[in-house]
Each structure stands twice: as structure tokens, then as C-alpha cells.
Amino acid sequence: MGPLQGIRVIEFAGIGPGPFAAMMLADNGADVVRIDRPGGGPFARGDLDLMARGRRSIALDLKLEADRALALKLIARADALIEGNRPGVMERLGLGPAEALAANPRIVYGRMTGWGQIGPLSNRAGHDLNYLALTGALHAIGPADRPPPPPLNLIADFGGGAMLLAFGMLAALLHARATGQGQVVDAAMIDGVIAQTTLFHAMRAMGAWSDTREANLLDGGAPFYRCYTCADGGFVAVGAIEPQFFALLIAGLGLAGDPDFAAQHDRNKWPVMTAKLTAAFAAHSRDHWTVRFADSDACVTPVLRFDELRDHPHLAERAALVEAGGIAQPAPAPRYSLTENQLDRPPPRAGADRDAILAAWDIT
């Protein structure tokens, strides 16, 4: 059940990217034990907290010496640990990296923060939007004549945070297995977001990127890489960057031979192209265009709502959404040829698995 079977992870309950990283590890077979506050505290979300799936829970009051001692026993038997507190909190509890590595020299100590463990902002509060703002990523997103929109909390929390942490922990686990030495993984969302902007730094260096929004290839400025409104109010996404795909797009819209589309990358023509593509897509419904381009490499796809995902044939064949505990939810990813991920544990109630955890981990 998953390639990480046999890996033991301690997760100190938190919100956002820490739980998502723990979910990824659990989805891929790791035995993840979540340390909750008694009663669940502010992080309790019940059976609907899908990011808590795949774990067992033990409730500990870390202000009590006995419970801190039990936490250290768990750490001593774990391969890795995830915590998402502000810098210094775990140290004040006596559960920081020094204590953890003393109890278990092989432990991989994963630290999930927004700003990182050092720097003038390290102890400041923040959220996804703040981390995006300070990395240049947010400034590059959105219409030129309005403030940048919040792109949900996908980029910093989950892409730049959780996935960076999961990758860093796996890298450190490989190192620990090879050397016997554990270490701290400082996974800062701001670092992860900046890493994701590497392509755009390269494009700026080449003179191929402007800091003016909607003036670039990938920010909605190009008429062949943006979304359009259809007659029924639905949307389609167009990503016809390559010339052969652009030609299929123009032909599919009945605009082949129009001289305004003769030079795809003539930026002086982009406003005219955009206006004509806007009018073309507005003439029919989203589903009309979905059918029209269904077998084409024009890179035209419908913009689906969450409630439409299960009905899309591609997502259905790949079982991108699965049902567990009576709730439809994203399937574990990625997929493997030899090991199969399964959702075998629903989100736990805080403290519900104490006896089973202690017995399985041989702690009295």
C-alpha cells in the first residue's frame, strides 16, 4: 500500500500546508500519527476534514511534562516529523530539533513556515497572498487595469509550501538512510514560491518578460493563452502556444485565412486577435466549443466547476476523484506501476487512536 509503507511520521496538528504535506505522505503509504490537542483544539474539523485523511490521532497536552515525554518517545521511534509553528515555539516546548535529534539522531525534522526560520519577517503572521506578494508572483497575475486577484491559496500554501516540504523530507529521508544522520528541513513558503518563478526570471533575463501585467506570453496578454467567455456564460481556456496548435485553433473557429492571424507573435496585432477570438467564442456555448475541439490539438478545454469534475470522461476514466467515507475527494497522487495508494483511513477524531498507536509503536 504505497511506496512509503514502513515510514513513520509524527505530525503536530496545524492548518494548511503542514497537514497537506502529511496527507501526501499518508496517501503514499507512510504511517502518519497526528498529535492533536485534547479535544482537537482549533484544528479539529471532524470527518469532513479531508486533508486529515490517512492518519491516526493521539491527543497530548504539550504543556504537561508527562505528555511532552510521551511525544519524545514517539519521536524516538519515528523516521520524520512535521511541525508548522512559528520559529521558537517547539524549542520552548522542549520538542525542538535539538531535543528531537538527541532522542533520535536519524529523525528528519520538517519545519513548515511562511517566512522561514530566519529573517526579519520570520516571526510575523502571514498567509498565502502575503507570500505571493513578496516574491513577485502576485504582481504578475491578473488584469492590467485591476489589482492582482487572489489565486485561491494554491500557490504558496500547497505548491510552494506543502509540496516543497514533502519533497525536502523525502530527500532528507534518503540521506538519513544512507548516512544515519537526520537533519532539519526548513521549508518556507516564500522559498517555494520564488523557486516556482525560476522560468520568469529566465525570461526577464532574455528580455522576453515585461513587468506590465497582461503584456506577456503566459499572463493573459497573448490572445492564444487566456480564457474566453461563451454564449451561455461559461468559459473556455485556450493554450495554443505552438504555431501548429494556433493554426488548429484559428481553423476550428472558422477564422483561417484572416490576415490578422497571419503573424501569431506580432504583439501589435494581439488586441485585434483578442477581440476577434472574444467574439468568436461568444457566439456559442461552452459545451459547443468543448465538442468542437474534443479531438483537436488546439488546446481548448472547458473551464469546469468543482461539481462538474466527476462527469468529465477523462477525469472519470482516471478516477481522479474517489469516494471514501461517503465523500467524493481527490485521489492520491502520483500513481505507481508496482504499489497502489489507497484511502484506508478517514479523518480521525482527536485522540481516538491512542492505544492502537502506542501498541503499534511499542510504547508503554
Side-chain angles (χ1 to χ4, degrees):
M1 286 186 55
L4 297 182
Q5 187 172 11
I7 299 292
R8 289 177 169 178
V9 181
I10 295 293
E11 173 200 3
F12 287 87
I15 58 174
F20 190 81
M23 183 196 82
M24 292 177 64
L25 298 176
D27 281 354
N28 284 272
D31 179 9
V32 181
V33 167
R34 191 176 71 187
I35 296 180
D36 280 300
R37 299 182 185 187
F43 307 124
R45 299 292 186 272
D47 294 342
L48 300 180
D49 184 6
L50 299 181
M51 286 203 306
R53 69 191 189 190
R55 289 63 121 216
R56 294 181 292 179
S57 170
I58 184 170
L60 298 178
D61 183 349
L62 297 179
K63 295 180 181 179
L64 300 178
E65 184 177 348
D67 280 10
R68 290 196 301 271
L70 183 51
L72 275 175
K73 287 184 178 182
L74 289 165
I75 290 170
R77 287 161 173 78
D79 298 291
L81 176 158
I82 292 174
E83 64 94 3
N85 296 292
R86 294 197 199 190
V89 170
M90 295 297 285
E91 284 82 352
R92 290 193 292 274
L93 289 170
L95 297 170
E99 292 84 1
L101 286 164
N104 181 357
R106 298 173 61 93
I107 192 95
V108 171
Y109 197 104
R111 314 199 81 170
M112 183 75 263
T113 61
W115 304 112
Q117 296 296 314
I118 60 170
L121 296 177
S122 59
N123 275 294
R124 290 270 297 275
H127 283 292
D128 189 289
L129 203 62
N130 305 115
Y131 313 132
L132 292 183
L134 212 64
T135 60
L138 187 61
H139 185 273
I141 296 172
D145 59 348
R146 293 192 293 279
L152 301 183
N153 66 326
L154 299 175
I155 301 177
D157 275 1
F158 301 128
M163 293 187 181
L164 181 75
L165 175 62
F167 170 78
M169 291 183 69
L170 293 178
L173 280 166
L174 289 173
H175 179 266
R177 289 199 165 185
T179 67
Q181 294 179 310
Q183 60 182 306
V184 176
V185 179
D186 176 3
M189 289 176 245
I190 194 168
D191 293 344
V193 174
I194 288 178
Q196 290 178 85
T197 64
T198 302
L199 169 65
F200 305 102
H201 284 273
M203 293 177 75
R204 289 185 78 250
M206 298 173 191
W209 188 268
S210 166
D211 285 331
T212 300
R213 289 200 303 279
E214 283 194 310
N216 297 287
L217 181 66
L218 300 174
D219 66 353
F224 47 83
Y225 196 85
R226 54 169 295 166
C227 294
Y228 290 94
T229 304
C230 302
D232 58 349
F235 308 100
V236 292
V238 175
I241 296 176
E242 292 80 359
Q244 66 272 29
F245 303 154
F246 181 70
L248 291 172
L249 169 68
I250 301 309
L253 291 169
L255 297 171
D258 188 322
D260 286 329
F261 295 95
Q264 177 183 357
H265 292 282
D266 182 352
R267 295 184 181 229
N268 293 322
K269 287 287 188 179
W270 280 5
V272 175
M273 292 186 202
T274 299
K276 290 191 174 185
L277 293 180
T278 298
F281 279 113
H284 297 284
S285 69
R286 184 198 70 176
D287 291 347
H288 168 88
W289 294 119
T290 300
V291 173
R292 177 68 183 84
F293 287 104
D295 298 318
S296 170
D297 276 344
C299 304
V300 177
T301 51
V303 177
L304 299 180
R305 303 184 306 269
F306 287 136
D307 65 355
E308 296 179 294
L309 303 186
R310 298 188 77 174
D311 296 328
H312 192 278
H314 184 80
L315 300 179
E317 183 171 331
R318 290 186 61 79
L321 290 178
V322 296
E323 189 166 303
I327 303 173
Q329 54 194 283
R335 301 155 194 246
Y336 304 95
S337 62
L338 294 179
T339 54
E340 182 179 357
N341 296 330
Q342 295 182 9
L343 299 182
D344 60 336
R345 290 193 180 112
R349 289 182 295 107
D353 307 299
R354 178 186 180 96
D355 292 342
I357 291 167
L358 297 183
W361 288 35
D362 194 26
I363 296 174
T364 57

